[in-house]
Amino acid sequence: MRCSRMEDRAGIAALAFNFARQLGFDQRSCWEVCIVVQELVSNLVRHAQGGDIELRSGLGLLEVRATDSGPGIPLAVLQDRHRWARGLGAVQRLMHELEIGTVGDPTHLAALGMSSRDGGTCILARRYLEKVR
């Protein structure tokens, strides 16, 4: 789903809530996935002038993938995850796994399926149906 305006947050988050519900997640987990999607859409719009959100499922798994072709996340920000308060910090706390690839880290970006020549960032967050945090 393409997101280019802050107004896209609510609609895409509602789709994510419904998707999680269809996969069998409880209501609290669905709301947490909804918050994650809102944070990722906000980041795409604020920092990269837009991007794409993709929702995928596997066996007992929901994935949220956010991609953009913006300037990337500074490596100093990525390396100091303990200072993340909101935004990516919320994503990290509410999901079971978080992977980030960005322009300054071409190896990790390639591992997430993007080329450094594409620019930007790829964030992959996973939530498991049965896993307890």
Side-chain angles (χ1 to χ4, degrees), residues 5-132:
R5 309 171 304 140
M6 264 323 159
E7 292 81 5
D8 296 332
R9 291 176 67 209
I12 295 172
L15 290 171
F17 181 96
N18 290 331
F19 185 65
R21 200 70 184 140
Q22 290 172 359
L23 294 174
F25 286 89
D26 63 27
Q27 188 164 355
R28 180 185 175 120
S29 296
C30 293
W31 281 115
E32 290 175 349
V33 167
C34 186
I35 291 166
V36 164
V37 168
Q38 288 182 349
E39 291 295 342
L40 292 173
V41 170
S42 293
N43 285 352
L44 288 171
V45 172
R46 278 191 193 117
H47 303 295
Q49 291 69 51
D52 294 291
I53 294 284
E54 182 180 354
L55 303 172
R56 297 189 281 190
S57 65
L59 291 173
L61 165 72
L62 181 146
E63 288 185 341
V64 180
R65 181 181 170 106
T67 56
D68 67 63
S69 57
I73 301 172
L75 290 180
V77 172
L78 286 179
Q79 292 169 348
D80 195 6
R81 290 186 180 203
H82 297 292
R83 292 182 46 192
W84 295 357
R86 299 178 305 173
L88 287 176
V91 174
Q92 184 175 35
R93 287 186 300 276
L94 295 174
M95 299 297 272
H96 293 123
E97 295 176 6
L98 175 63
E99 294 182 60
I100 302 172
T102 194
V103 172
D105 184 4
T107 304
H108 203 176
L109 194 60
L112 292 172
M114 287 180 67
S115 167
S116 59
R117 74 177 182 285
D118 299 329
T121 299
C122 178
I123 296 174
L124 182 61
R126 293 183 185 94
R127 178 78 179 233
Y128 294 94
L129 190 57
E130 300 296 326
K131 189 171 181 179
V132 177

